[in-house]
Amino acid sequence: MIELNINGKVMKFGDGINTDVIIPSKYLELRDPSIFSKHIMEPIRPGVFNDIAKLGMTVLVAGNDFGSGSSREQAPEALKQAGFDAVVAESFATIFYRNSINVGLPVMEIPGVAKFVEEGDHLSINFDTAEVRNITQSTSMSGKKTNSFLLDKLRIGGLIPELQEFVRRNK
Amino acid sequence: MAQTISEKILSNHSVENLIAYSGDRIDVKPSTVLSNEMLPMISIAKFLQTGAKYVKSDIAENMLVILDHGGFGVTDKYIDIHELARRFTRDHNIKLMDTGAGISHVVFPELGYAQPGYLILGTDSHTVNHGAFNAYAQGIGASDLVELMIKGYTWLAVPDTNLIRVNGKLPANVYSKDLILTINGEKKMDWSTDKAIEWQGSTISDFSLEARMTISNMAVEQGAVAGIMPFDNKVENYINSTPMKNQSRPVFPDKDANYSEIFDFDASTLSPVVAIPHSPDNVKPVSELGSVELDQIFMGSCTNSRIEDLEIIARILKNNRVKVRTLIIPGSASVALEAVKRGYVEIFMQAGAIWSYSTCGACFGGTLGRVGPEMTALSTSNRNFIGRMGGDDTSKVYLGSPATAAQSAITGVITSSGVI
Ligand code: SF4
């Protein structure tokens, strides 16, 4: 069972971050997420990959419409492999949200989150209750509850572990 | 209770025969499935990881894989990726169209895989393109495809629907691309997030299927999960001209179907527009642009590379010379052949444009026509995000209609058609 309480320092991005920014298409042919994840956010903030570990910023906070654009599942996969434990945003593009659950990356929609946190703040997110605490600023707020059907998928690590189980049962 | 087109089509494909309404989550079995390099890049490895041995036969039979993004023998990595796709599809009896056959969203309907009433799922966000055929077509991820291949079905959230009614006659030199860019510019990239769009109105009916696809293709640029157009005899005629013939069931919305928003748009107010860097919803009339000098022009992509687009380009380029590097990529091998027969290719080459085999090419900065830093390009594709066509945040990509692109090729600056 993966922990659905996520704690970590915030790395903050703006509105409308699309999948071509999250992982530029020229790196997709590398196929291995541990390799292409080194290039996340390169068009707008090169070197982010190194900052995540160095600065311990493992919670990505973003504005509106995070993950718009391509259906590439490599976008949430790259963020996860790069070391982000969760992504929270004002709102998400549909396919990105679904892909994140599928690859086991916890995501939560939190309207107002962009004003609620500064880069570097320490955030504690409970995915079951949708309670979010900003430990640095001693404030709290609620996000939109993630559907329990999707939380169950996240708990077992995404769609592929679920399908492994399906194949085992139907042998 | 009254239903939208989406609610009807999704109900018709419910595994448990549920009557579904927006807000429901149901398991659905698609009519047809589209994939591309996402299959070999991700899905095959994950499929094997689950321990699955074979692809469900009803998915395999209705699935079409088109290798469109990676080009023809361009990099060692794509050569391997393509070979993996060939082997897997051969082993599992899945139909594959190899590199050069065309862009998936052009080829898929040409072969009759998009039909009225169909539920179409594809591992590409522009799968929404096929809504032009009165189908519900949604983009999914590569793991979702694995689920389909193993279980034969997946889940979908039944969406709310935004209704867009477009009436009025298009002014001269204005095309469906100007219409969709203008509406997306007004409504922005997330207006229809998690929602379907239904299109209605006389302007839509007046358009050919090619022009309709340009519009439904860019439904995802306002966040929509599907963009569905009405059934009419133009759809029927198109389907009857495909190798599959008509196997479909047209779907109409109920009179009092529940729409979350209704937007009325008057097409007679339109003028040629472009999306300016770095977002497809950043839209301005060409007349308000000032002088934008171009380094490169790309005409192609699943948005605008069909024979009707090439016809417009040929009409403008005839007896002219291009002033900037101009790349024209046809949407499919059959579009290319038709362009040869009609003499368009001769016109393009006499004008000094470069004519290529069919592939996504410059659209996503893949195999040909990438731009570099400080370069400015005009493209008929659907996205101009930072770095999308290569380069970096100093590379600028404008999006416009084939007519605007062809006219601009002659002048070297962004120019709307009809100006010269
Ligand atoms: S032409 Fe462009 S938008 Fe269309 S499928 Fe290819 S890369 Fe995607």
Side-chain angles (χ1 to χ4, degrees):
Chain A
M1 278 244 295
I2 66 158
E3 175 69 274
L4 284 177
N5 260 312
I6 308 276
N7 285 286
K9 251 161 76 175
V10 168
M11 187 180 284
K12 203 173 162 187
F13 291 89
D15 289 333
I17 306 291
N18 60 69
T19 54
D20 278 293
V21 166
I22 297 171
I23 180 71
S25 50
K26 63 181 166 187
Y27 299 118
L28 299 182
E29 66 171 34
L30 299 174
R31 287 174 67 197
D32 182 346
S34 66
I35 299 175
F36 65 66
S37 63
K38 299 203 163 72
H39 300 282
I40 56 160
M41 303 290 187
E42 209 169 77
I44 55 165
R45 193 165 156 180
V48 159
F49 178 82
N50 296 323
D51 287 353
I52 298 168
K54 204 167 68 203
L55 308 172
M57 291 175 165
T58 53
V59 173
L60 194 159
V61 174
N64 287 326
D65 206 23
F66 189 78
S68 58
S70 155
S71 69
R72 66 186 69 155
E73 190 175 291
Q74 293 98 325
E77 187 73 61
L79 295 174
K80 188 182 159 190
Q81 286 281 339
F84 288 116
D85 293 330
V87 176
V88 298
E90 296 274 341
S91 64
F92 288 95
T94 313
I95 310 178
F96 178 88
Y97 189 88
R98 181 173 176 133
N99 281 339
S100 300
I101 306 283
N102 283 350
V103 303
L105 175 70
V107 281
M108 195 195 291
E109 196 177 315
I110 310 177
V113 72
K115 286 216 177 81
F116 177 73
V117 291
E118 296 297 329
E119 172 136 330
D121 282 359
H122 189 160
L123 221 57
S124 171
I125 310 162
N126 184 321
F127 279 79
D128 295 289
T129 61
E131 283 304 310
V132 191
R133 283 191 303 132
N134 186 332
I135 292 164
T136 309
Q137 301 190 24
S138 304
T139 48
S140 64
M141 70 179 295
S142 321
K144 281 197 187 160
K145 257 200 178 152
T146 308
N147 189 300
S148 63
F149 165 80
L150 299 177
L151 278 181
D152 289 345
K153 283 186 192 285
L154 277 178
R155 270 203 190 84
I156 61 165
L159 181 56
I160 297 308
E162 186 185 303
L163 291 173
Q164 268 165 344
E165 184 55 32
F166 179 88
V167 170
R168 214 173 299 134
R169 267 189 286 114
N170 288 278
K171 254 205 177 116
Chain B
M1 221 164 85
Q3 285 183 306
T4 60
I5 299 182
S6 299
E7 289 168 330
K8 286 189 182 181
I9 296 180
L10 292 177
S11 300
N12 290 342
H13 293 87
S14 157
V15 173
E16 295 163 292
N17 292 314
L18 298 171
I19 308 293
Y21 296 95
S22 74
D24 293 345
R25 187 189 59 245
I26 60 169
D27 285 337
V28 288
K29 193 167 151 337
S31 320
T32 51
V33 177
L34 174 160
S35 194
N36 45 22
E37 276 87 345
M38 284 298 155
L39 173 78
M41 282 204 283
I42 307 181
S43 307
I44 294 174
K46 290 195 167 179
F47 177 85
L48 297 174
Q49 210 184 319
T50 66
K53 292 277 180 303
Y54 60 92
V55 176
K56 272 249 171 200
S57 59
D58 44 358
I59 293 295
E61 280 159 20
N62 295 300
M63 182 164 160
L64 181 60
V65 179
I66 303 164
L67 301 179
D68 53 4
H69 283 64
F72 195 143
V74 175
T75 66
D76 288 347
K77 298 224 160 47
Y78 270 119
I79 291 169
D80 290 347
I81 287 166
H82 287 165
E83 188 54 20
L84 184 58
R86 284 181 207 111
R87 285 209 205 103
F88 184 85
T89 51
R90 205 182 300 140
D91 291 349
H92 294 274
N93 292 316
I94 296 167
K95 190 170 164 63
L96 175 96
M97 306 286 288
D98 216 324
T99 45
I103 304 169
S104 56
H105 307 306
V106 179
V107 175
F108 198 74
E110 276 178 357
L111 296 181
Y113 281 79
Q115 304 220 5
Y118 270 21
L119 168 61
I120 300 163
L121 297 176
T123 59
D124 191 277
S125 61
H126 290 102
T127 301
V128 291
N129 180 81
H130 312 300
F133 291 86
N134 186 237
Y136 183 100
Q138 179 171 343
I140 55 171
S143 292
D144 294 318
L145 176 64
V146 177
E147 179 164 44
L148 283 174
M149 293 195 296
I150 292 174
K151 292 164 73 174
Y153 61 88
T154 186
W155 64 276
L156 286 183
V158 183
D160 287 340
T161 297
N162 282 335
L163 174 64
I164 304 180
R165 291 187 296 222
V166 191
N167 287 292
K169 204 170 144 16
L170 283 191
N173 307 312
V174 173
Y175 298 87
S176 63
K177 183 64 164 287
D178 298 298
L179 171 67
I180 187 62
L181 284 173
T182 302
I183 291 179
N184 285 357
E186 211 161 294
K187 290 303 189 184
K188 298 297 169 197
M189 286 263 328
D190 57 359
W191 183 57
S192 295
T193 297
D194 292 336
K195 292 179 185 167
I197 302 167
E198 273 181 34
W199 297 88
Q200 288 177 6
S202 63
T203 318
I204 304 294
S205 316
D206 289 346
F207 281 134
S208 66
L209 260 293
E210 274 94 348
R212 290 181 201 179
M213 280 190 262
T214 300
I215 295 172
S216 53
N217 181 277
M218 290 190 72
V220 70
E221 270 66 60
Q222 55 173 273
V225 293
I228 310 173
M229 293 193 172
F231 174 81
D232 60 10
N233 64 343
K234 284 184 185 166
V235 178
E236 193 166 22
N237 292 342
Y238 187 108
I239 304 287
N240 281 327
S241 73
T242 69
M244 296 261 202
K245 303 282 187 254
N246 198 342
Q247 313 184 0
S248 61
R249 193 149 62 121
V251 178
F252 303 90
D254 287 327
K255 251 213 196 79
D256 40 1
N258 198 10
Y259 294 108
S260 59
E261 281 185 64
I262 298 177
F263 177 59
D264 280 297
F265 189 83
D266 178 1
S268 68
T269 63
L270 282 167
S271 68
V273 294
V274 287
I276 65 177
H278 296 285
S279 183
D281 64 356
N282 206 355
V283 176
K284 262 198 180 159
V286 174
S287 58
E288 290 172 21
L289 269 190
S291 174
V292 179
E293 279 194 42
L294 296 166
D295 300 303
Q296 182 169 314
I297 291 178
F298 165 53
M299 298 186 244
S301 89
C302 56
T303 323
N304 284 115
S305 63
R306 298 178 177 86
I307 196 68
E308 188 178 286
D309 301 311
L310 299 185
E311 185 186 347
I312 295 165
I313 297 164
R315 203 171 60 223
I316 294 169
L317 289 188
K318 192 169 184 175
N319 301 325
N320 279 301
R321 284 289 294 177
V322 301
K323 228 182 189 170
V324 274
R325 278 184 339 140
T326 299
L327 173 63
I328 306 177
I329 305 188
S332 71
S334 50
V335 168
L337 182 60
E338 184 63 24
V340 170
K341 284 185 189 158
R342 295 193 192 179
Y344 299 162
V345 180
E346 198 179 332
I347 295 173
F348 300 153
M349 297 186 86
Q350 267 170 356
I354 299 160
W355 171 253
S356 141
Y357 71 98
S358 184
T359 174
C360 294
C363 174
F364 83 117
T367 54
L368 357 145
R370 290 165 55 81
V371 294
E374 312 281 346
M375 284 176 70
T376 302
L378 173 60
S379 168
T380 64
S381 58
N382 42 40
R383 288 180 182 148
N384 58 345
F385 298 142
I386 297 175
R388 169 83 180 176
M389 272 179 78
D392 56 22
D393 58 355
T394 66
S395 317
K396 297 192 185 70
V397 178
Y398 291 75
L399 306 176
S401 74
T404 301
Q407 202 69 68
S408 305
I410 299 167
T411 57
V413 294
I414 297 182
T415 313
S416 62
S417 54
V419 167
I420 301 176

